[in-house]
Amino acid sequence: MDVFAFGACVVDRFGVVEHDPALDTKQEMTTWLQACGGPPATAAVALARWGRSCAFGGVVGDDEEGDLIRADLAREGLDTSALLVRPGACSQYAFIAVERASGRRKIYWRRPTGAPPMRAEIELPPARLFLTDGLYAGISAELARAAPMTVVDAGTLRDGTRELIAEAEIYVASESFARAYVGEDDPEGCCRKLREQGVEVAGVTLGARGYVASFGDTMLHGEAVAVDAVDTTGCGDLFHAGVCEGVLAGWDWPRTFSFAAWAAAQVATSLGGRAGIPPWHNESQ
């Protein structure tokens, strides 16, 4: 197994609007789409499409959304034996309003209502990489400690992502996480602080401003890849997939982060977090 991804899995419902509406107003949606998502789930789907063997673990309910999530992951070739179904519970879902001109979006989401996974319920597969977003705080840290290498997708500063700092070899955070973590817009400072806490490779994604990454004695500043953005949903997920691909392929860090930025940009060219996953054939195939 190449990657065991663990955390959020979602049914996303997208509506395209002309502009961000004010409160107490109405606006027509011009496009409607339903698709599956979630940061580690989407990253694992991308890696599976690129030829990597992947498993996914998390929680769904025994509802329509849970059926959609499980069927979608199975169709993509992922091992879902660690995806737990909670009877009588609701799966995670989101509504995403996408601004037509910019591709930027607002996300309104609800976490799954089922009980979080217990350590005894999850058997860590013998995977080369463990990828998690820290949605389930305690067990994510336990699994990270048992994994040979852990990659963290830190989208939001919360208990789960804080606890994982001490357990992760590779920690790539969002711009909003970095700002909350250091108290100002200082992605380099975020990388330095993460490295001081024991992270071997730290990064911060900055949207159109590119990314910053720290490894060894290097502070790398990378540019975003320019595309005509339709929807930025999934960009961070694909960035993390790209980082995982680089690690699995044995690339150096500049090449790894450059590939991650390229993959993140390509997914923005389509509506939904997975429709724009770019084709790629890893060198081991």
Side-chain angles (χ1 to χ4, degrees):
M1 185 74 64
D2 289 313
V3 178
F4 177 47
F6 183 77
C9 51
V10 191
V11 171
D12 292 325
R13 296 178 174 97
F14 297 86
V16 178
V17 297
E18 291 303 321
H19 56 81
D20 186 11
L23 292 175
D24 296 323
T25 63
K26 295 180 181 180
Q27 186 175 159
E28 182 180 2
M29 292 186 303
T30 57
T31 304
W32 175 256
L33 173 70
Q34 177 172 281
C36 292
T42 295
V45 166
L47 288 159
R49 291 186 189 180
W50 296 340
R52 299 296 180 181
S53 55
C54 301
F56 180 81
V59 168
V60 294
D62 58 350
D63 53 2
E64 179 182 352
E65 286 81 7
D67 292 342
L68 289 170
I69 290 167
R70 289 187 291 113
D72 187 75
L73 293 173
R75 184 166 54 249
E76 296 284 358
L78 274 70
D79 179 341
T80 59
S81 56
L83 181 57
L84 307 176
V85 180
R86 300 302 195 203
C90 295
S91 303
Q92 185 169 335
Y93 61 87
F95 171 68
I96 303 172
V98 181
E99 187 178 60
R100 177 182 294 281
S102 66
R104 297 180 303 176
R105 78 274 195 252
K106 282 187 175 179
I107 301 176
Y108 306 85
W109 67 282
R110 177 179 177 175
R111 68 177 62 242
T113 63
M118 303 295 289
R119 182 64 182 91
E121 295 179 293
I122 303 294
E123 182 177 349
L124 184 68
R128 297 168 62 189
L129 290 180
F130 174 56
L131 170 66
T132 183
D133 59 356
L135 178 64
Y136 304 109
I139 187 172
S140 294
E142 289 186 54
L143 292 170
R145 281 191 288 272
M149 182 175 291
T150 296
V151 180
V152 174
D153 178 347
T156 303
L157 180 61
R158 57 177 178 244
D159 289 345
T161 45
R162 280 188 184 277
E163 191 171 349
L164 283 164
I165 294 171
E167 310 299 339
E169 286 76 24
I170 304 165
Y171 200 104
V172 181
S174 69
E175 185 174 6
S176 61
F177 174 101
R179 188 178 294 108
Y181 189 52
V182 298
E184 58 182 321
D185 184 15
D186 183 10
E188 289 188 6
C190 179
C191 288
R192 284 191 292 268
K193 187 174 179 180
L194 289 168
R195 295 287 307 279
E196 290 168 0
Q197 298 300 311
V199 173
E200 295 177 14
V201 178
V204 178
T205 58
L206 301 169
R209 294 195 290 157
Y211 60 89
V212 174
S214 174
F215 47 89
D217 297 325
T218 299
M219 185 70 73
L220 176 67
H221 295 78
E223 296 183 353
V225 176
V227 295
D228 292 327
V230 172
D231 172 22
T232 55
T233 304
C235 291
D237 311 344
L238 264 291
F239 196 98
H240 288 82
V243 169
C244 291
E245 174 63 23
V247 172
L248 293 167
W251 298 340
D252 62 26
W253 289 115
R255 181 180 179 185
T256 294
F257 280 103
S258 178
F259 176 78
W262 171 80
Q266 304 316 303
V267 80
T269 61
S270 300
L271 184 64
R274 296 181 185 172
I277 293 174
W280 171 261
H281 297 285
N282 65 62
E283 295 171 353
S284 67
Q285 289 181 284

